[in-house]
Amino acid sequence: MKKNTVTLTNNKTGKTYEYDILDATRGPSVVDIRTFFQDTGMFTYDPGYTSTACCESKITFIDGAKGELRYRGVTIEDMAQNHTYLESCFLLLNKRLPSAQELSDFDLEIRHRAFLHEGLRHLFNAFPDNAHPMATLSAAVTALASFYDDHLELESEEEYQEMARRIISKIPTIAAFAYRHSLGIPFIQPDIDLGFTKNFLTMMRAYPGGKMHLHANGHEVIKDIEVRALDTIFTLHADHEQNASTTVVRGVASTGAHPYVAIASGISALWGRAHGGANESVIAQLEMIGSVDNVEAFIEKAKDPDDDFRLMGFGHRVYKNFDPRAKILKKLQDELRDELGLDTELMAIARKIEEIALSDEYFISRNLYPNIDFYTGIILTALQIPKPMFTPIFVIGRTVGWITQWIEFKKDETLKIARPRQLYTGE
Ligand code: SDX
């Protein structure tokens, strides 16, 4: 019977080394090379970690070839079509979906924890009106850590869960405050009579005093379809295994810093346009392309190796097939087109890009497909959410993933401080 190991031969010295294969419950196995440096005196080399598993995890599974995504084993299609964002949060944190009573209790607690300490409100005044909300969001979450020193020494499961529920509930309030600060208008306090997503939209849109926009035709209420669309977007963003920002969160967890500064670090990492910032760049790019007639020229620019122009919202390190979240959003766009009055010109440009790119050798040979960011922006635009708030929306969805990964790291006794080595080629 073949042993579940790999053997490595150093052809310079003739020495051979044997390493265990650790099998996954889903997806690729790993070669356990934790003693590689001690055995061989050499490091493995994998900038960008394209072939590296940094941890063992039971939270989220992605199959890039199949375009599959599961939260705690439940498919993203099931979560997006049959469950709310708060159910996704409960599932990620508790490894199972909630009963009706558990969901009601969880919802109530999240509503009550949505308020911020009054002292935190003054932080926003330190920022200029034109500050990008991601800067304010990251700073405010770092500041939040100083209001909860006790989270540095979490003992019981309940303490971990309470710390997680607190940050999940406060992020939308901080994001809405950051937005209103950028407009120079008063903040709207959370309303405990409203659910998570409707409360966020109200804090974004309401006039001072909490009244919705007044139009000639009377009050503009927040439509249920808008709440459902945004709630689905939060669900699709909830977690995504070891992506760049989650890797940063785990890195900060490994040094023993406060959980909320780990989240603030994740927010900063997500801001980049190669990662969560792509959703804002996609709309900016569609607006820049401006017309279906200009698409071909921009596709050529994206293919030109000497031109650093890239199609925002295309390509993914893991998905070498359609990003399943993109498929769900594309369907949602079609459903919402009439009800929400989606910008059909931008949609037409996006569809033209997709049509050309998916039949072009350059994209096919590199397995470049639309990712989640390619479709989010058109729906968010129809929800009257301005571009600078697209990545904060991603943060609101992803915070539960980051904090769940942070908790998993803390409970894994085998994990050590993140401290990779290098190939030194200097003087
Ligand atoms: C997210 O990891 C996650 O899970 C992230 C995320 C999550 O939920 O957390 O899914 C969210 O970040 C989605 C990705 C959003 N980013 C973008 O849409 C930005 C545009 N995409 C690219 O920057 C790129 O595709 C990445 C960053 C997403 C992936 O980069 P990789 O895996 O490192 O691939 P690569 O840069 O090595 O590219 C491989 C080839 C290169 O061509 P060659 O050098 O082989 O000739 O594909 C080309 C690249 O030039 N390429 C593109 C392209 N993306 C890759 N060419 C044109 N347009 C693009 N968008």
Side-chain angles (χ1 to χ4, degrees):
M1 176 35 182
K2 273 196 173 303
K3 287 191 291 182
N4 204 19
T5 60
V6 292
T7 302
L8 191 75
T9 300
N10 179 338
N11 295 317
K12 281 201 291 195
T13 63
K15 279 191 175 176
T16 62
Y17 309 90
E18 197 168 9
Y19 295 99
D20 290 336
I21 293 174
L22 308 179
D23 292 323
T25 50
R26 285 183 193 277
S29 300
V30 299
V31 179
D32 183 351
I33 56 163
R34 280 176 283 188
T35 62
F36 188 86
F37 176 56
Q38 172 191 320
D39 299 341
T40 68
M42 291 191 286
F43 301 133
T44 60
Y45 186 62
D46 183 16
Y49 316 126
T50 42
S51 302
T52 295
C54 64
C55 63
E56 176 183 342
S57 181
K58 302 178 185 337
I59 300 168
T60 295
F61 174 74
I62 303 175
D63 181 321
K66 285 193 220 147
E68 181 183 340
L69 167 58
R70 291 169 181 268
Y71 296 157
R72 299 287 189 187
V74 182
T75 66
I76 192 65
E77 290 78 9
D78 183 359
M79 290 313 297
Q81 278 136 28
N82 307 318
H83 299 282
T84 63
Y85 174 66
L86 281 193
E87 286 177 273
S88 301
C89 292
F90 189 98
L91 169 67
L92 287 166
L93 286 168
N94 298 290
K95 307 180 180 107
R96 61 178 173 81
L97 283 162
S99 65
Q101 186 56 51
E102 285 171 327
L103 180 58
S104 166
D105 296 344
F106 186 73
D107 181 345
L108 198 60
E109 182 176 352
I110 294 291
R111 291 178 190 220
H112 283 86
R113 289 192 185 279
F115 296 85
L116 299 185
H117 187 290
E118 273 302 289
L120 205 57
R121 283 171 59 132
H122 304 307
L123 177 94
F124 295 89
N125 297 331
F127 286 82
D129 286 1
N130 64 349
H132 195 291
M134 285 296 280
T136 334
L137 195 49
S138 176
V141 172
T142 295
L144 192 69
S146 50
F147 288 83
Y148 299 100
D149 277 345
D150 58 329
H151 287 355
L152 266 171
E153 303 302 331
L154 298 165
E155 303 286 332
S156 68
E157 179 58 24
E158 182 39 36
E159 285 177 354
Y160 275 102
Q161 292 295 326
E162 182 190 27
M163 176 278 293
R165 292 191 292 263
R166 176 172 277 124
I167 189 72
I168 290 166
S169 61
K170 292 183 189 316
I171 287 279
T173 309
I174 295 172
F177 283 13
Y179 169 63
R180 295 188 69 104
H181 172 73
S182 73
L183 298 180
I185 58 177
F187 300 162
I188 296 293
Q189 286 297 334
D191 178 345
I192 56 172
D193 293 333
L194 299 177
F196 183 90
T197 301
K198 188 165 187 176
N199 186 33
F200 171 69
L201 281 172
T202 304
M203 290 192 287
M204 284 275 291
R205 280 199 210 156
Y207 272 173
K211 289 275 177 294
M212 294 314 297
H213 290 285
L214 275 179
H215 279 277
N217 59 353
H219 285 243
E220 179 213 293
V221 293
I222 291 175
K223 304 183 192 84
D224 289 348
I225 185 75
E226 293 182 290
V227 175
R228 188 167 67 81
L230 185 54
D231 201 77
T232 303
I233 286 176
F234 287 148
T235 294
L236 295 175
H237 286 84
D239 193 47
H240 214 237
E241 65 139 88
Q242 307 310 317
N243 57 85
S245 50
T246 298
T247 302
V248 165
V249 169
R250 279 179 171 261
V252 175
S254 78
T255 69
H258 193 289
Y260 294 170
V261 297
I263 298 297
S265 309
I267 292 171
S268 301
L270 190 75
W271 193 357
R273 66 199 298 263
H275 190 11
N279 52 21
E280 182 177 347
S281 308
V282 165
I283 289 294
Q285 201 167 82
L286 294 179
E287 288 168 347
M288 177 191 64
I289 292 173
S291 143
V292 169
D293 304 335
N294 302 336
V295 167
E296 301 249 6
F298 280 95
I299 295 265
E300 289 314 306
K301 274 174 69 68
K303 290 159 59 177
D304 178 354
D306 301 324
D307 188 332
D308 61 8
F309 176 83
R310 283 199 163 177
L311 273 187
M312 288 291 107
F314 252 77
H316 197 279
R317 171 61 62 75
V318 177
Y319 290 122
K320 300 308 171 192
N321 193 326
F322 241 91
D323 180 335
R325 303 167 297 178
K327 270 188 185 165
I328 294 167
L329 280 168
K330 187 173 171 184
K331 193 160 149 274
L332 193 60
Q333 263 188 8
D334 290 336
E335 281 168 31
L336 299 177
R337 183 184 20 233
D338 305 331
E339 294 196 69
L340 280 188
L342 297 191
D343 181 326
T344 46
E345 177 62 15
L346 284 188
M347 277 179 78
I349 296 170
R351 294 288 153 88
K352 185 72 177 169
I353 290 172
E354 195 186 337
E355 176 200 315
I356 297 177
L358 294 185
S359 57
D360 183 299
E361 185 45 35
Y362 173 91
F363 295 90
I364 293 170
S365 62
R366 292 169 177 78
N367 294 307
L368 299 176
Y369 290 87
N371 59 49
I372 187 166
D373 297 304
F374 192 67
Y375 296 101
T376 323
I378 290 175
I379 296 174
L380 292 178
T381 303
L383 296 178
Q384 304 167 49
I385 291 176
K387 281 199 291 289
M389 283 302 289
F390 287 4
T391 311
I393 297 276
F394 196 146
V395 170
I396 293 172
R398 184 56 53 89
T399 292
V400 63
W402 285 330
I403 206 66
T404 304
Q405 298 269 353
W406 185 92
I407 292 172
E408 184 176 72
F409 182 97
K410 286 300 184 187
K411 294 186 171 172
D412 181 341
E413 274 87 45
T414 68
L415 289 176
K416 308 156 79 82
I417 189 165
R419 208 283 183 216
R421 304 302 301 274
Q422 63 183 10
L423 170 66
Y424 179 71
T425 55
E427 293 307 311

